[in-house]
Amino acid sequence: MYNTKVFAEKGWAPPTSWNDLKDPKYQKQLVIPPINNTYGLEALLMLARMNGGSEANVDAGFKIFKDEINANVLAYEPSPGKMTELFQSGQAVLAVWGTAVCKASPTPAFPSTSSIPRKGRPRC
């Protein structure tokens, strides 16, 4: 999920890959749930798969988080309410979060939409 107003103002293209989370332009503006949350675990597994690991070998995912994504993370936040607050306050502009959040209200508290990665989609 990303803040459409901020992305438009900055001329940023919507993210299309899990690897986009590495982009330094998101420094301290990214929110990801911890890995004990489905969305956080999905991010770890997808990044592992895309960077030489697998579901059975997630070391690559941990390395990417530590070396290339962590600097962009404002918070590893488990609370949907707190994630909403971070978006409403303008502190967060990008999050690993479900598409239902964007669809839940016809007038959301912040301008947002979801982006489903073209690269690194989970297997169904």
Side-chain angles (χ1 to χ4, degrees):
M1 179 176 77
Y2 63 96
N3 182 312
T4 54
K5 181 179 178 199
V6 171
F7 272 63
E9 289 172 353
K10 295 185 181 253
W12 294 346
T16 60
S17 169
W18 289 98
N19 282 325
D20 289 344
L21 300 178
K22 301 176 191 179
D23 194 321
K25 70 184 173 196
Y26 302 127
Q27 186 172 16
K28 297 298 179 205
Q29 298 178 85
L30 171 63
V31 181
I32 302 175
I35 61 170
N36 66 347
N37 174 292
T38 303
Y39 298 123
L41 181 59
E42 178 182 27
L44 175 66
L45 294 175
M46 294 300 104
L47 285 160
R49 284 180 46 206
M50 293 179 68
N51 292 282
S54 66
E55 288 85 351
N57 178 11
V58 297
D59 289 347
F62 280 115
K63 182 170 179 23
I64 293 297
F65 264 101
K66 180 180 177 244
D67 297 345
E68 299 185 54
I69 294 176
N70 198 52
N72 293 343
V73 176
L74 172 66
Y76 290 97
E77 182 55 56
S79 165
K82 181 64 176 175
M83 288 178 81
T84 299
E85 287 176 20
L86 293 170
F87 268 89
Q88 287 175 324
S89 70
Q91 295 174 76
V93 300
L94 179 64
V96 174
W97 212 359
T99 58
V101 175
C102 297
K103 309 288 184 210
S105 171
T107 55
F110 49 91
S112 64
T113 193
S114 57
S115 177
I116 299 172
R118 284 181 252 164
K119 278 186 98 175
R121 282 189 175 176
R123 291 183 205 133
C124 296

